[in-house]
């Protein structure tokens, strides 16, 4: 096999393997620093038109507590928290590949 052909194969292998090294970590932490408990928490891909199930299920997220979730999908996601008084806050179109924390605050929710 010629050196030129071998270098071509090596270059192609690098191109194919490149995306594997740049994978997205779809895990994130939701942290409650709002001063109230969070009764419901929703997230999903921004392309979905409904929120789907409450990700806390039968649980709540007390003030000061945190939970870890995994979206399982890269790309833009929407997030929503609901407090006991029915008020809610939403954060839309966050790239989960660069977001590792969603924080409920007294003024809404923010990403870090």
């Amino acid at each position: 096999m010629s050196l030129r052909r071998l270098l071509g194969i090596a270059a192609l292998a690098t191109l194919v393997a490149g995306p594997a090294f740049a994978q997205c970590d779809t895990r994130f932490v939701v942290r409650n620093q709002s001063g109230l408990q969070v009764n419901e928490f929703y997230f999903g891909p921004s392309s979905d038109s409904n929120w789907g199930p409450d990700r806390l299920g039968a649980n709540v997220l007390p003030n000061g507590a945190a939970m870890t979730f995994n979206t399982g999908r890269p790309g833009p996601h929407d997030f929503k928290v609901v407090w006991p008084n029915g008020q809610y806050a939403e954060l839309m179109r966050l790239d989960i590949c660069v977001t590792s924390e969603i924080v409920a605050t007294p003024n809404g929710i923010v990403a870090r």
Side-chain angles (χ1 to χ4, degrees):
M1 184 177 288
S2 73
L3 181 58
R4 182 180 213 164
R5 184 175 175 111
L6 188 57
L7 288 174
I9 291 171
L12 181 60
T14 301
L15 287 174
V16 171
F21 292 111
Q23 288 189 353
C24 170
D25 184 356
T26 59
R27 293 172 295 171
F28 70 95
V29 172
V30 62
R31 189 172 311 283
N32 184 3
Q33 296 177 341
S34 69
L36 301 170
Q37 83 178 15
V38 170
N39 278 9
E40 300 169 38
F41 178 61
Y42 301 90
F43 66 86
S46 297
S47 59
D48 287 355
S49 60
N50 72 44
W51 286 107
D54 172 10
R55 303 301 181 132
L56 296 176
N59 299 314
V60 296
L61 189 62
N63 184 52
M67 291 180 78
T68 301
F69 293 92
N70 190 339
T71 69
R73 285 174 67 173
H77 280 70
D78 300 335
F79 300 86
K80 178 180 180 179
V81 296
V82 181
W83 288 281
N85 61 7
Q87 290 187 322
Y88 63 91
E90 298 176 350
L91 207 49
M92 310 300 270
R93 300 201 54 76
L94 285 174
D95 183 353
I96 196 62
C97 296
V98 297
T99 301
S100 61
E101 189 174 47
I102 303 297
V103 183
T105 73
N107 299 316
I109 52 178
V110 296
R112 296 184 182 152

